Amino acid sequence: MHTIGASGTPRNWELYRTAVVDVRFEDRTVRVEPRPRGTAEGFFPVLIGNAAAVHVITAWNPRGRTASSDANTRAHHVLLNEVRHMGLTWWPAVGGDVSGTHQEESVAVAGLSDAVARALGRRFGQDAVFAWTPEAWRVLACENGAVAVSGWAASVRAPA
Protein backbone atom coordinates (compact mmCIF):
# COMPACT_ATOMS: atom_id res chain seq x y z
CA MET A 1 0.00 0.00 0.00
CA HIS A 2 1.36 3.39 -0.97
CA THR A 3 0.74 6.52 1.12
CA ILE A 4 0.73 9.97 -0.45
CA GLY A 5 1.12 12.97 1.86
CA ALA A 6 2.06 10.72 4.77
CA SER A 7 3.23 13.49 7.08
CA GLY A 8 0.63 14.23 9.69
CA THR A 9 -1.31 10.99 9.26
CA PRO A 10 -3.62 10.00 12.14
CA ARG A 11 -2.05 7.93 14.93
CA ASN A 12 -4.16 4.89 13.95
CA TRP A 13 -3.23 5.16 10.26
CA GLU A 14 -1.80 1.63 10.06
CA LEU A 15 -5.03 0.22 11.51
CA TYR A 16 -7.06 2.06 8.85
CA ARG A 17 -4.73 0.82 6.10
CA THR A 18 -5.33 -2.82 7.08
CA ALA A 19 -9.03 -2.54 7.95
CA VAL A 20 -11.69 -4.60 6.18
CA VAL A 21 -15.26 -3.53 5.44
CA ASP A 22 -18.38 -5.68 5.07
CA VAL A 23 -21.01 -4.00 2.88
CA ARG A 24 -24.55 -5.39 2.93
CA PHE A 25 -26.06 -5.05 -0.53
CA GLU A 26 -29.64 -6.10 -1.29
CA ASP A 27 -28.68 -9.62 -2.32
CA ARG A 28 -25.30 -10.27 -0.65
CA THR A 29 -22.79 -9.11 1.90
CA VAL A 30 -19.36 -8.41 0.47
CA ARG A 31 -16.10 -8.13 2.42
CA VAL A 32 -13.63 -5.67 0.92
CA GLU A 33 -10.02 -6.23 1.96
CA PRO A 34 -6.89 -4.31 0.99
CA ARG A 35 -4.56 -6.07 -1.43
CA PRO A 36 -1.36 -5.12 -3.26
CA ARG A 37 -1.70 -2.05 -5.47
CA GLY A 38 -3.07 -2.92 -8.90
CA THR A 39 -5.25 -5.78 -7.61
CA ALA A 40 -9.02 -5.53 -8.13
CA GLU A 41 -10.74 -8.86 -7.57
CA GLY A 42 -14.36 -9.77 -7.06
CA PHE A 43 -17.67 -7.98 -6.82
CA PHE A 44 -17.94 -4.21 -7.32
CA PRO A 45 -21.42 -2.61 -7.28
CA VAL A 46 -22.86 -1.14 -10.44
CA LEU A 47 -22.97 2.60 -9.79
CA ILE A 48 -25.59 4.78 -11.43
CA GLY A 49 -24.94 8.21 -12.88
CA ASN A 50 -21.55 9.78 -12.42
CA ALA A 51 -20.73 8.08 -9.11
CA ALA A 52 -17.10 7.07 -9.33
CA ALA A 53 -16.63 5.61 -5.86
CA VAL A 54 -18.27 4.04 -2.87
CA HIS A 55 -17.16 5.87 0.28
CA VAL A 56 -17.36 4.15 3.65
CA ILE A 57 -17.96 6.46 6.61
CA THR A 58 -18.61 5.83 10.28
CA ALA A 59 -19.76 8.05 13.12
CA TRP A 60 -18.55 5.65 15.82
CA ASN A 61 -15.82 6.45 18.34
CA PRO A 62 -15.05 10.04 17.33
CA ARG A 63 -11.45 11.20 17.60
CA GLY A 64 -10.34 7.61 18.11
CA ARG A 65 -11.83 7.43 21.59
CA THR A 66 -14.14 4.60 22.54
CA ALA A 67 -17.67 5.96 22.95
CA SER A 68 -20.59 4.29 24.70
CA SER A 69 -22.92 2.05 22.74
CA ASP A 70 -25.70 4.63 23.14
CA ALA A 71 -23.50 7.49 21.91
CA ASN A 72 -22.34 5.45 18.91
CA THR A 73 -25.93 4.46 18.06
CA ARG A 74 -27.12 8.09 18.25
CA ALA A 75 -24.23 9.32 16.11
CA HIS A 76 -24.86 6.58 13.54
CA HIS A 77 -28.54 7.58 13.26
CA VAL A 78 -27.53 11.21 12.69
CA LEU A 79 -25.13 10.07 9.95
CA LEU A 80 -27.83 7.93 8.32
CA ASN A 81 -30.29 10.84 8.40
CA GLU A 82 -27.73 13.11 6.78
CA VAL A 83 -26.98 10.59 4.01
CA ARG A 84 -30.72 10.04 3.41
CA HIS A 85 -31.26 13.81 3.28
CA MET A 86 -28.58 14.03 0.57
CA GLY A 87 -30.65 11.59 -1.52
CA LEU A 88 -27.73 9.28 -2.19
CA THR A 89 -27.60 5.54 -2.71
CA TRP A 90 -26.21 3.85 0.39
CA TRP A 91 -25.81 0.45 2.00
CA PRO A 92 -25.22 -0.65 5.60
CA ALA A 93 -21.58 -1.48 6.32
CA VAL A 94 -19.33 -2.58 9.17
CA GLY A 95 -15.64 -1.75 9.22
CA GLY A 96 -12.96 -3.13 11.49
CA ASP A 97 -9.95 -5.34 11.85
CA VAL A 98 -9.67 -8.57 9.92
CA SER A 99 -10.08 -10.70 13.07
CA GLY A 100 -13.40 -9.04 13.93
CA THR A 101 -12.12 -7.93 17.35
CA HIS A 102 -12.94 -4.28 16.61
CA GLN A 103 -15.95 -3.38 14.46
CA GLU A 104 -17.75 -0.09 13.78
CA GLU A 105 -21.16 0.30 12.20
CA SER A 106 -20.75 2.37 9.05
CA VAL A 107 -22.45 3.39 5.85
CA ALA A 108 -21.23 2.81 2.27
CA VAL A 109 -22.33 5.72 0.07
CA ALA A 110 -22.30 6.15 -3.71
CA GLY A 111 -22.26 9.62 -5.26
CA LEU A 112 -19.92 11.55 -2.97
CA SER A 113 -16.71 13.24 -4.02
CA ASP A 114 -13.61 12.56 -1.91
CA ALA A 115 -13.82 16.12 -0.56
CA VAL A 116 -17.45 15.71 0.57
CA ALA A 117 -16.73 12.27 2.06
CA ARG A 118 -13.80 13.72 4.02
CA ALA A 119 -15.93 16.65 5.20
CA LEU A 120 -18.64 14.25 6.36
CA GLY A 121 -16.02 12.22 8.21
CA ARG A 122 -14.69 15.39 9.86
CA ARG A 123 -18.23 16.39 10.87
CA PHE A 124 -18.46 13.11 12.82
CA GLY A 125 -14.97 13.41 14.33
CA GLN A 126 -13.37 10.74 12.17
CA ASP A 127 -9.68 10.40 11.31
CA ALA A 128 -10.31 8.76 7.94
CA VAL A 129 -12.86 7.45 5.46
CA PHE A 130 -12.51 4.77 2.78
CA ALA A 131 -12.97 5.18 -0.97
CA TRP A 132 -13.59 2.05 -3.08
CA THR A 133 -13.39 2.30 -6.87
CA PRO A 134 -13.08 -0.33 -9.60
CA GLU A 135 -9.33 0.43 -9.64
CA ALA A 136 -8.34 0.97 -5.99
CA TRP A 137 -9.12 0.90 -2.26
CA ARG A 138 -8.04 4.17 -0.67
CA VAL A 139 -7.87 5.43 2.90
CA LEU A 140 -8.47 9.20 2.96
CA ALA A 141 -7.37 11.21 6.01
CA CYS A 142 -10.15 13.62 6.96
CA GLU A 143 -7.94 16.40 8.35
CA ASN A 144 -5.33 16.63 5.58
CA GLY A 145 -4.63 15.33 2.10
CA ALA A 146 -3.01 12.05 3.14
CA VAL A 147 -4.13 9.08 1.04
CA ALA A 148 -3.10 5.42 1.28
CA VAL A 149 -3.69 3.60 -1.99
CA SER A 150 -3.93 -0.16 -2.38
CA GLY A 151 -5.72 -2.72 -4.45
CA TRP A 152 -8.69 -4.68 -3.16
CA ALA A 153 -10.38 -8.04 -3.13
CA ALA A 154 -14.11 -8.39 -2.48
CA SER A 155 -15.58 -11.71 -1.50
CA VAL A 156 -19.17 -12.70 -0.80
CA ARG A 157 -19.69 -13.51 2.89
CA ALA A 158 -21.80 -16.38 4.14
CA PRO A 159 -25.11 -15.26 5.66
CA ALA A 160 -24.89 -14.72 9.42
Side-chain angles (χ1 to χ4, degrees):
M1 184 176 285
H2 178 73
T3 300
I4 302 163
S7 65
T9 56
R11 66 181 168 87
N12 291 325
W13 191 245
E14 287 306 310
L15 297 175
Y16 303 130
R17 289 176 39 151
T18 59
V20 300
V21 175
D22 291 339
V23 182
R24 193 172 68 235
F25 296 99
E26 292 78 16
D27 61 344
R28 68 190 90 184
T29 297
V30 174
R31 170 158 291 178
V32 185
E33 300 181 67
R35 290 289 189 261
R37 199 169 182 170
T39 304
E41 298 174 351
F43 174 84
F44 186 83
V46 175
L47 300 178
I48 299 170
N50 59 0
V54 173
H55 289 89
V56 180
I57 305 165
T58 187
W60 278 40
N61 301 324
R63 295 178 208 353
R65 295 185 187 104
T66 302
S68 71
S69 178
D70 287 344
N72 282 332
T73 297
R74 283 191 304 276
H76 184 70
H77 285 299
V78 173
L79 173 60
L80 285 178
N81 287 337
E82 190 154 328
V83 168
R84 287 178 182 127
H85 180 72
M86 297 168 93
L88 301 170
T89 299
W90 64 275
W91 304 274
V94 175
D97 62 19
V98 72
S99 70
T101 304
H102 178 82
Q103 295 185 325
E104 297 187 359
E105 195 169 5
S106 306
V107 61
V109 184
L112 296 175
S113 67
D114 287 351
V116 171
R118 282 179 157 137
L120 197 53
R122 274 192 308 276
R123 175 166 152 29
F124 288 92
Q126 299 304 306
D127 291 331
V129 297
F130 300 98
W132 180 27
T133 66
E135 298 81 27
W137 177 253
R138 296 176 294 132
V139 181
L140 310 174
C142 292
E143 292 297 329
N144 61 36
V147 179
V149 182
S150 71
W152 57 268
S155 56
V156 176
R157 307 294 290 171

